Amino acid sequence: MKIAFLGTGIMGGHMAGHLLAAGHELTVFNRTRSKAEALISRGARWAESPRLAAEGQDVLISIVGMPDDVQEVYMGEQGVFGASDPPEVVIDMTTSTPTLARTLAEAATARGIASIDAPVSGGPVGAESASLSIMVGGDTDAVARVWSLFESMGKTVIHQGGPGYGQHTKMVNQILLAGSMIGLAESMAYAEAAGLDPAKVISSIRDGAAGSRALTDFGPKILKGDFTPGFYAKHYLKDLGIALDEAARMDLKLPMLALVQGFYDRICRQGLNQCGTHVLSAVMAADQGSEQASRALSGLKSAGQ
Amino acid sequence: MKIAFLGTGIMGGHMAGHLLAAGHELTVFNRTRSKAEALISRGARWAESPRLAAEGQDVLISIVGMPDDVQEVYMGEQGVFGASDPPEVVIDMTTSTPTLARTLAEAATARGIASIDAPVSGGPVGAESASLSIMVGGDTDAVARVWSLFESMGKTVIHQGGPGYGQHTKMVNQILLAGSMIGLAESMAYAEAAGLDPAKVISSIRDGAAGSRALTDFGPKILKGDFTPGFYAKHYLKDLGIALDEAARMDLKLPMLALVQGFYDRICRQGLNQCGTHVLSAVMAADQGSEQASRALSGLKSAGQ
């Protein structure tokens, strides 16, 4: 297929690479061109704008930063919807708002385009190994037409419903994760305060009823004071805000989610936005008087992380 | 070894059975004698009180309901510490307070007895299959002397530190679990409000970063409206209260834990104390107006569960 791919960052770069490897004809656009060079050297064509990338394609895929970026990429002056010969199907794989996904789908339909929302989980590792979970929302026929593309990029591909339902599913994932992250932070703060050896504690509890991927993945990093991202705190803050906004729209009260959003808001305002999500554990430990955690955070802030 | 085993309920019954099977000479006591009959028919001797059970034993093990029961079993009028020929080592495997564990250890030491706290996780299934995680606190020499008993009852046996450290480790486990339970409840409430199919959603997210044992174990039960215990809400409420008390004693603020404790307090006051912990998801869904959840809860309350 002829595919335009917008957003060749840490996630999109790997995902677009799998499409190239599968034999598709790729055109790429990225705000910073240097991040697309690896794909260009493998045969992808460069385009100067989303609109120019979109011209004459079968399918267009985007994975960019924030909902505002998604809006600009599609509806902006140089946006995809301004193309004179637009793709038949557009797929936004950014984690964005269900509401925007529905807005895009309506705007696309008015132009004879099918629009799909398909956010992912699995992070850079999942993107590189094509083992992402892809949560798909959109019209059934359109989804069927691009299914093989999803299978080139992910392992768990599930069609969750109409426009916006991919994004809603990703929000469910992020809410569940919020519980894991705050549970990890509070339990490790308790362990430290009680004078336990956290590594031994993790050995006792990781395979039991309280076990989680967050504990397995982040527990050892927290113990080493390694707060480099996996998944950026700033991106998680965005997702938590989306989930809370959508919940409010649905008259849904999620007190744990609001609590966790408050912590990440503070984390980002304290200059720790470039840290991994698990920096929450250090912030909570420092709040409780842990000198080790306080030193780690000072280092991270002064490094501009 | 000559072992007294106090508390032959759903956990203790299985655990004592493994000790019998390993060839130990067992004396048992339980508040309700009928729950000890299976062990007696396999050769265990019955004793009429904790004190009488304790006389002339090498080791005594208890796993009873609440911290008050533990106190009564050891310090009460007919308690273990009143024995004229007490065991060399006593082991309380109840989930109880770190503070009481230290008090018992001091009282034991004054009588020339070594006292170990060794709460478990893994539930009735883990007790039956001898795959429990056993979190051990106590004097190193005493722990070494009874290590083989732990290995007969559990798979993951870890010595966490001195008296009280087994209980502290169990509290870390329960705090971590609180995050999983509230994350599960809020994420499923969101899924229902958004009109998603929760079973499909779980398929998308269970193997990813938000995955947890709580989701894997309880997600399918919640979808079926099956709130029979695994682990009783009333016992979890006890544990959450212990963790909050100990945290307050250490000047530790755990806002998520306090939030979750409030939910379980309400659950138990609403007559759902005999339900499994995952009833939290139904309570939250009902709060948000789910008719299906409200109907399920009415049924549970009228069944006296």
Side-chain angles (χ1 to χ4, degrees), chain B residues 214-251:
Chain B
L215 176 66
T216 310
D217 290 355
F218 295 131
K221 288 186 176 189
I222 292 165
L223 300 193
K224 279 190 289 186
D226 171 8
F227 298 104
T228 52
F231 184 50
Y232 285 113
K234 63 179 177 181
H235 289 156
Y236 194 40
L237 176 62
K238 168 199 69 165
D239 297 355
L240 295 170
I242 294 172
L244 279 173
D245 284 349
E246 292 287 329
R249 209 182 45 72
M250 299 188 287
D251 246 340

mmCIF file of all heavy atoms in Angstrom, chain B residues 214-251:
data_model
loop_
_atom_site.group_PDB
_atom_site.id
_atom_site.type_symbol
_atom_site.label_atom_id
_atom_site.label_comp_id
_atom_site.label_asym_id
_atom_site.label_seq_id
_atom_site.Cartn_x
_atom_site.Cartn_y
_atom_site.Cartn_z
ATOM 1 N N ALA B 214 -4.516 -8.716 40.053
ATOM 2 C CA ALA B 214 -5.899 -8.358 40.404
ATOM 3 C C ALA B 214 -6.770 -8.364 39.154
ATOM 4 O O ALA B 214 -7.887 -8.896 39.161
ATOM 5 C CB ALA B 214 -5.939 -6.994 41.087
ATOM 6 N N LEU B 215 -6.260 -7.792 38.074
ATOM 7 C CA LEU B 215 -7.035 -7.770 36.821
ATOM 8 C C LEU B 215 -7.259 -9.187 36.302
ATOM 9 O O LEU B 215 -8.376 -9.561 35.933
ATOM 10 C CB LEU B 215 -6.298 -6.931 35.766
ATOM 11 C CG LEU B 215 -6.944 -6.908 34.380
ATOM 12 C CD1 LEU B 215 -8.300 -6.205 34.413
ATOM 13 C CD2 LEU B 215 -6.029 -6.230 33.356
ATOM 14 N N THR B 216 -6.198 -9.976 36.287
ATOM 15 C CA THR B 216 -6.288 -11.339 35.757
ATOM 16 C C THR B 216 -7.220 -12.205 36.600
ATOM 17 O O THR B 216 -8.033 -12.958 36.073
ATOM 18 C CB THR B 216 -4.878 -11.976 35.739
ATOM 19 O OG1 THR B 216 -3.990 -11.054 35.100
ATOM 20 C CG2 THR B 216 -4.873 -13.285 34.988
ATOM 21 N N ASP B 217 -7.097 -12.094 37.929
ATOM 22 C CA ASP B 217 -7.886 -12.951 38.820
ATOM 23 C C ASP B 217 -9.331 -12.473 38.950
ATOM 24 O O ASP B 217 -10.260 -13.273 38.958
ATOM 25 C CB ASP B 217 -7.273 -12.977 40.230
ATOM 26 C CG ASP B 217 -5.942 -13.729 40.263
ATOM 27 O OD1 ASP B 217 -5.556 -14.302 39.231
ATOM 28 O OD2 ASP B 217 -5.308 -13.737 41.330
ATOM 29 N N PHE B 218 -9.503 -11.147 39.107
ATOM 30 C CA PHE B 218 -10.833 -10.641 39.463
ATOM 31 C C PHE B 218 -11.604 -10.103 38.264
ATOM 32 O O PHE B 218 -12.838 -10.067 38.310
ATOM 33 C CB PHE B 218 -10.716 -9.543 40.526
ATOM 34 C CG PHE B 218 -10.168 -10.037 41.833
ATOM 35 C CD1 PHE B 218 -9.130 -9.362 42.464
ATOM 36 C CD2 PHE B 218 -10.688 -11.171 42.440
ATOM 37 C CE1 PHE B 218 -8.621 -9.803 43.671
ATOM 38 C CE2 PHE B 218 -10.181 -11.624 43.652
ATOM 39 C CZ PHE B 218 -9.141 -10.938 44.261
ATOM 40 N N GLY B 219 -10.908 -9.654 37.211
ATOM 41 C CA GLY B 219 -11.610 -9.084 36.059
ATOM 42 C C GLY B 219 -12.721 -10.000 35.565
ATOM 43 O O GLY B 219 -13.896 -9.591 35.504
ATOM 44 N N PRO B 220 -12.414 -11.259 35.241
ATOM 45 C CA PRO B 220 -13.467 -12.147 34.732
ATOM 46 C C PRO B 220 -14.589 -12.384 35.742
ATOM 47 O O PRO B 220 -15.761 -12.482 35.354
ATOM 48 C CB PRO B 220 -12.701 -13.452 34.453
ATOM 49 C CG PRO B 220 -11.275 -13.027 34.260
ATOM 50 C CD PRO B 220 -11.082 -11.865 35.179
ATOM 51 N N LYS B 221 -14.265 -12.444 37.047
ATOM 52 C CA LYS B 221 -15.309 -12.627 38.062
ATOM 53 C C LYS B 221 -16.226 -11.415 38.124
ATOM 54 O O LYS B 221 -17.446 -11.551 38.261
ATOM 55 C CB LYS B 221 -14.679 -12.845 39.447
ATOM 56 C CG LYS B 221 -14.019 -14.194 39.621
ATOM 57 C CD LYS B 221 -13.566 -14.379 41.066
ATOM 58 C CE LYS B 221 -13.000 -15.774 41.280
ATOM 59 N NZ LYS B 221 -12.745 -16.057 42.696
ATOM 60 N N ILE B 222 -15.639 -10.232 38.057
ATOM 61 C CA ILE B 222 -16.446 -9.009 38.096
ATOM 62 C C ILE B 222 -17.419 -9.004 36.909
ATOM 63 O O ILE B 222 -18.598 -8.688 37.067
ATOM 64 C CB ILE B 222 -15.529 -7.759 38.083
ATOM 65 C CG1 ILE B 222 -14.746 -7.674 39.396
ATOM 66 C CG2 ILE B 222 -16.333 -6.484 37.849
ATOM 67 C CD1 ILE B 222 -13.570 -6.706 39.364
ATOM 68 N N LEU B 223 -16.929 -9.395 35.728
ATOM 69 C CA LEU B 223 -17.797 -9.399 34.540
ATOM 70 C C LEU B 223 -18.949 -10.385 34.702
ATOM 71 O O LEU B 223 -20.042 -10.151 34.196
ATOM 72 C CB LEU B 223 -16.992 -9.742 33.283
ATOM 73 C CG LEU B 223 -15.837 -8.807 32.922
ATOM 74 C CD1 LEU B 223 -15.358 -9.076 31.516
ATOM 75 C CD2 LEU B 223 -16.233 -7.356 33.099
ATOM 76 N N LYS B 224 -18.694 -11.470 35.424
ATOM 77 C CA LYS B 224 -19.768 -12.455 35.642
ATOM 78 C C LYS B 224 -20.674 -12.095 36.820
ATOM 79 O O LYS B 224 -21.651 -12.788 37.080
ATOM 80 C CB LYS B 224 -19.152 -13.840 35.920
ATOM 81 C CG LYS B 224 -18.717 -14.582 34.648
ATOM 82 C CD LYS B 224 -18.335 -16.020 34.945
ATOM 83 C CE LYS B 224 -17.026 -16.112 35.709
ATOM 84 N NZ LYS B 224 -16.540 -17.492 35.910
ATOM 85 N N GLY B 225 -20.320 -11.033 37.559
ATOM 86 C CA GLY B 225 -21.096 -10.683 38.754
ATOM 87 C C GLY B 225 -20.891 -11.685 39.889
ATOM 88 O O GLY B 225 -21.744 -11.844 40.752
ATOM 89 N N ASP B 226 -19.733 -12.353 39.880
ATOM 90 C CA ASP B 226 -19.412 -13.351 40.914
ATOM 91 C C ASP B 226 -18.521 -12.705 41.979
ATOM 92 O O ASP B 226 -17.341 -12.465 41.741
ATOM 93 C CB ASP B 226 -18.703 -14.540 40.247
ATOM 94 C CG ASP B 226 -18.134 -15.532 41.269
ATOM 95 O OD1 ASP B 226 -18.407 -15.386 42.472
ATOM 96 O OD2 ASP B 226 -17.412 -16.453 40.840
ATOM 97 N N PHE B 227 -19.112 -12.424 43.136
ATOM 98 C CA PHE B 227 -18.374 -11.745 44.194
ATOM 99 C C PHE B 227 -18.125 -12.650 45.399
ATOM 100 O O PHE B 227 -17.928 -12.174 46.524
ATOM 101 C CB PHE B 227 -19.093 -10.445 44.590
ATOM 102 C CG PHE B 227 -19.161 -9.489 43.440
ATOM 103 C CD1 PHE B 227 -20.345 -9.304 42.735
ATOM 104 C CD2 PHE B 227 -18.026 -8.822 43.013
ATOM 105 C CE1 PHE B 227 -20.395 -8.447 41.645
ATOM 106 C CE2 PHE B 227 -18.060 -7.969 41.923
ATOM 107 C CZ PHE B 227 -19.250 -7.781 41.232
ATOM 108 N N THR B 228 -18.125 -13.972 45.169
ATOM 109 C CA THR B 228 -17.780 -14.892 46.245
ATOM 110 C C THR B 228 -16.312 -14.667 46.601
ATOM 111 O O THR B 228 -15.491 -14.361 45.743
ATOM 112 C CB THR B 228 -17.993 -16.356 45.816
ATOM 113 O OG1 THR B 228 -17.312 -16.583 44.578
ATOM 114 C CG2 THR B 228 -19.469 -16.665 45.624
ATOM 115 N N PRO B 229 -15.986 -14.849 47.894
ATOM 116 C CA PRO B 229 -14.590 -14.605 48.287
ATOM 117 C C PRO B 229 -13.709 -15.776 47.917
ATOM 118 O O PRO B 229 -14.131 -16.909 48.071
ATOM 119 C CB PRO B 229 -14.687 -14.484 49.809
ATOM 120 C CG PRO B 229 -15.911 -15.270 50.187
ATOM 121 C CD PRO B 229 -16.849 -15.215 49.025
ATOM 122 N N GLY B 230 -12.660 -15.651 47.355
ATOM 123 C CA GLY B 230 -11.250 -15.572 47.595
ATOM 124 C C GLY B 230 -10.943 -15.009 48.982
ATOM 125 O O GLY B 230 -10.948 -15.725 49.970
ATOM 126 N N PHE B 231 -10.756 -13.747 49.013
ATOM 127 C CA PHE B 231 -10.311 -13.092 50.236
ATOM 128 C C PHE B 231 -11.448 -12.179 50.695
ATOM 129 O O PHE B 231 -11.923 -11.340 49.923
ATOM 130 C CB PHE B 231 -9.017 -12.323 49.942
ATOM 131 C CG PHE B 231 -8.388 -11.665 51.124
ATOM 132 C CD1 PHE B 231 -8.164 -12.368 52.298
ATOM 133 C CD2 PHE B 231 -8.017 -10.336 51.070
ATOM 134 C CE1 PHE B 231 -7.585 -11.751 53.401
ATOM 135 C CE2 PHE B 231 -7.432 -9.711 52.158
ATOM 136 C CZ PHE B 231 -7.224 -10.428 53.323
ATOM 137 N N TYR B 232 -11.908 -12.350 51.933
ATOM 138 C CA TYR B 232 -13.067 -11.616 52.444
ATOM 139 C C TYR B 232 -12.803 -10.111 52.558
ATOM 140 O O TYR B 232 -11.745 -9.691 53.046
ATOM 141 C CB TYR B 232 -13.422 -12.105 53.853
ATOM 142 C CG TYR B 232 -14.104 -13.440 53.922
ATOM 143 C CD1 TYR B 232 -13.470 -14.530 54.497
ATOM 144 C CD2 TYR B 232 -15.394 -13.609 53.425
ATOM 145 C CE1 TYR B 232 -14.096 -15.768 54.581
ATOM 146 C CE2 TYR B 232 -16.021 -14.839 53.495
ATOM 147 C CZ TYR B 232 -15.375 -15.917 54.079
ATOM 148 O OH TYR B 232 -15.995 -17.127 54.152
ATOM 149 N N ALA B 233 -13.799 -9.329 52.175
ATOM 150 C CA ALA B 233 -13.725 -7.870 52.352
ATOM 151 C C ALA B 233 -13.453 -7.507 53.808
ATOM 152 O O ALA B 233 -12.668 -6.612 54.108
ATOM 153 C CB ALA B 233 -15.023 -7.220 51.868
ATOM 154 N N LYS B 234 -14.089 -8.216 54.753
ATOM 155 C CA LYS B 234 -13.926 -7.870 56.178
ATOM 156 C C LYS B 234 -12.484 -8.086 56.649
ATOM 157 O O LYS B 234 -11.980 -7.343 57.478
ATOM 158 C CB LYS B 234 -14.900 -8.679 57.048
ATOM 159 C CG LYS B 234 -14.679 -10.179 57.017
ATOM 160 C CD LYS B 234 -15.669 -10.927 57.919
ATOM 161 C CE LYS B 234 -15.451 -12.428 57.806
ATOM 162 N NZ LYS B 234 -16.390 -13.192 58.645
ATOM 163 N N HIS B 235 -11.819 -9.112 56.114
ATOM 164 C CA HIS B 235 -10.423 -9.327 56.498
ATOM 165 C C HIS B 235 -9.506 -8.278 55.870
ATOM 166 O O HIS B 235 -8.535 -7.843 56.476
ATOM 167 C CB HIS B 235 -9.969 -10.743 56.106
ATOM 168 C CG HIS B 235 -10.596 -11.809 56.949
ATOM 169 N ND1 HIS B 235 -10.752 -13.104 56.527
ATOM 170 C CD2 HIS B 235 -11.114 -11.763 58.206
ATOM 171 C CE1 HIS B 235 -11.343 -13.810 57.483
ATOM 172 N NE2 HIS B 235 -11.569 -13.019 58.502
ATOM 173 N N TYR B 236 -9.857 -7.897 54.645
ATOM 174 C CA TYR B 236 -9.036 -6.870 54.005
ATOM 175 C C TYR B 236 -9.189 -5.529 54.732
ATOM 176 O O TYR B 236 -8.212 -4.797 54.907
ATOM 177 C CB TYR B 236 -9.425 -6.736 52.529
ATOM 178 C CG TYR B 236 -8.427 -5.945 51.719
ATOM 179 C CD1 TYR B 236 -7.060 -6.093 51.920
ATOM 180 C CD2 TYR B 236 -8.833 -5.044 50.750
ATOM 181 C CE1 TYR B 236 -6.136 -5.369 51.192
ATOM 182 C CE2 TYR B 236 -7.929 -4.316 50.000
ATOM 183 C CZ TYR B 236 -6.583 -4.478 50.232
ATOM 184 O OH TYR B 236 -5.670 -3.760 49.505
ATOM 185 N N LEU B 237 -10.423 -5.242 55.172
ATOM 186 C CA LEU B 237 -10.643 -4.008 55.941
ATOM 187 C C LEU B 237 -9.768 -3.995 57.200
ATOM 188 O O LEU B 237 -9.160 -2.977 57.541
ATOM 189 C CB LEU B 237 -12.124 -3.874 56.318
ATOM 190 C CG LEU B 237 -12.474 -2.681 57.209
ATOM 191 C CD1 LEU B 237 -12.161 -1.366 56.523
ATOM 192 C CD2 LEU B 237 -13.941 -2.718 57.631
ATOM 193 N N LYS B 238 -9.690 -5.145 57.865
ATOM 194 C CA LYS B 238 -8.815 -5.254 59.046
ATOM 195 C C LYS B 238 -7.377 -4.894 58.652
ATOM 196 O O LYS B 238 -6.725 -4.071 59.297
ATOM 197 C CB LYS B 238 -8.852 -6.685 59.594
ATOM 198 C CG LYS B 238 -7.754 -6.973 60.624
ATOM 199 C CD LYS B 238 -7.490 -8.481 60.826
ATOM 200 C CE LYS B 238 -6.846 -9.148 59.635
ATOM 201 N NZ LYS B 238 -6.264 -10.465 59.902
ATOM 202 N N ASP B 239 -6.900 -5.486 57.564
ATOM 203 C CA ASP B 239 -5.509 -5.273 57.154
ATOM 204 C C ASP B 239 -5.249 -3.815 56.788
ATOM 205 O O ASP B 239 -4.197 -3.250 57.122
ATOM 206 C CB ASP B 239 -5.161 -6.162 55.956
ATOM 207 C CG ASP B 239 -5.255 -7.646 56.295
ATOM 208 O OD1 ASP B 239 -5.501 -7.989 57.465
ATOM 209 O OD2 ASP B 239 -5.080 -8.456 55.364
ATOM 210 N N LEU B 240 -6.209 -3.202 56.098
ATOM 211 C CA LEU B 240 -6.044 -1.795 55.713
ATOM 212 C C LEU B 240 -5.990 -0.913 56.956
ATOM 213 O O LEU B 240 -5.197 0.042 57.011
ATOM 214 C CB LEU B 240 -7.197 -1.363 54.800
ATOM 215 C CG LEU B 240 -7.248 -2.070 53.432
ATOM 216 C CD1 LEU B 240 -8.556 -1.744 52.712
ATOM 217 C CD2 LEU B 240 -6.050 -1.673 52.574
ATOM 218 N N GLY B 241 -6.794 -1.254 57.952
ATOM 219 C CA GLY B 241 -6.755 -0.502 59.205
ATOM 220 C C GLY B 241 -5.415 -0.637 59.902
ATOM 221 O O GLY B 241 -4.857 0.355 60.406
ATOM 222 N N ILE B 242 -4.875 -1.842 59.914
ATOM 223 C CA ILE B 242 -3.550 -2.054 60.531
ATOM 224 C C ILE B 242 -2.503 -1.218 59.795
ATOM 225 O O ILE B 242 -1.690 -0.522 60.414
ATOM 226 C CB ILE B 242 -3.153 -3.545 60.478
ATOM 227 C CG1 ILE B 242 -4.093 -4.393 61.351
ATOM 228 C CG2 ILE B 242 -1.695 -3.730 60.925
ATOM 229 C CD1 ILE B 242 -3.883 -5.901 61.203
ATOM 230 N N ALA B 243 -2.530 -1.276 58.470
ATOM 231 C CA ALA B 243 -1.524 -0.538 57.683
ATOM 232 C C ALA B 243 -1.628 0.961 57.947
ATOM 233 O O ALA B 243 -0.603 1.645 58.110
ATOM 234 C CB ALA B 243 -1.697 -0.843 56.193
ATOM 235 N N LEU B 244 -2.852 1.472 58.018
ATOM 236 C CA LEU B 244 -3.023 2.914 58.278
ATOM 237 C C LEU B 244 -2.562 3.279 59.681
ATOM 238 O O LEU B 244 -1.933 4.321 59.884
ATOM 239 C CB LEU B 244 -4.484 3.322 58.081
ATOM 240 C CG LEU B 244 -4.914 3.556 56.632
ATOM 241 C CD1 LEU B 244 -6.423 3.785 56.559
ATOM 242 C CD2 LEU B 244 -4.168 4.749 56.005
ATOM 243 N N ASP B 245 -2.875 2.427 60.662
ATOM 244 C CA ASP B 245 -2.419 2.688 62.037
ATOM 245 C C ASP B 245 -0.891 2.725 62.111
ATOM 246 O O ASP B 245 -0.310 3.619 62.733
ATOM 247 C CB ASP B 245 -2.921 1.587 62.988
ATOM 248 C CG ASP B 245 -4.402 1.745 63.310
ATOM 249 O OD1 ASP B 245 -4.980 2.797 62.979
ATOM 250 O OD2 ASP B 245 -4.975 0.803 63.896
ATOM 251 N N GLU B 246 -0.274 1.731 61.488
ATOM 252 C CA GLU B 246 1.191 1.679 61.534
ATOM 253 C C GLU B 246 1.789 2.874 60.788
ATOM 254 O O GLU B 246 2.793 3.447 61.209
ATOM 255 C CB GLU B 246 1.702 0.371 60.922
ATOM 256 C CG GLU B 246 1.360 -0.866 61.734
ATOM 257 C CD GLU B 246 2.183 -1.010 63.024
ATOM 258 O OE1 GLU B 246 3.353 -0.559 63.055
ATOM 259 O OE2 GLU B 246 1.654 -1.576 63.995
ATOM 260 N N ALA B 247 1.167 3.230 59.660
ATOM 261 C CA ALA B 247 1.659 4.384 58.900
ATOM 262 C C ALA B 247 1.563 5.651 59.756
ATOM 263 O O ALA B 247 2.508 6.454 59.792
ATOM 264 C CB ALA B 247 0.869 4.544 57.606
ATOM 265 N N ALA B 248 0.442 5.825 60.454
ATOM 266 C CA ALA B 248 0.267 7.010 61.307
ATOM 267 C C ALA B 248 1.346 7.040 62.391
ATOM 268 O O ALA B 248 1.930 8.091 62.685
ATOM 269 C CB ALA B 248 -1.127 7.002 61.933
ATOM 270 N N ARG B 249 1.617 5.866 62.950
ATOM 271 C CA ARG B 249 2.652 5.757 63.975
ATOM 272 C C ARG B 249 4.016 6.187 63.428
ATOM 273 O O ARG B 249 4.848 6.734 64.153
ATOM 274 C CB ARG B 249 2.709 4.292 64.441
ATOM 275 C CG ARG B 249 3.161 4.039 65.859
ATOM 276 C CD ARG B 249 3.223 2.548 66.163
ATOM 277 N NE ARG B 249 3.861 1.746 65.128
ATOM 278 C CZ ARG B 249 5.156 1.722 64.845
ATOM 279 N NH1 ARG B 249 6.000 2.463 65.532
ATOM 280 N NH2 ARG B 249 5.620 0.969 63.876
ATOM 281 N N MET B 250 4.231 5.945 62.118
ATOM 282 C CA MET B 250 5.515 6.294 61.491
ATOM 283 C C MET B 250 5.444 7.676 60.839
ATOM 284 O O MET B 250 6.354 8.055 60.105
ATOM 285 C CB MET B 250 5.885 5.238 60.448
ATOM 286 C CG MET B 250 6.046 3.835 61.026
ATOM 287 S SD MET B 250 6.699 2.621 59.829
ATOM 288 C CE MET B 250 5.315 2.349 58.724
ATOM 289 N N ASP B 251 4.317 8.400 61.042
ATOM 290 C CA ASP B 251 4.154 9.742 60.456
ATOM 291 C C ASP B 251 4.133 9.710 58.933
ATOM 292 O O ASP B 251 4.657 10.620 58.262
ATOM 293 C CB ASP B 251 5.302 10.653 60.911
ATOM 294 C CG ASP B 251 4.773 11.770 61.786
ATOM 295 O OD1 ASP B 251 3.563 12.038 61.720
ATOM 296 O OD2 ASP B 251 5.582 12.360 62.531
#
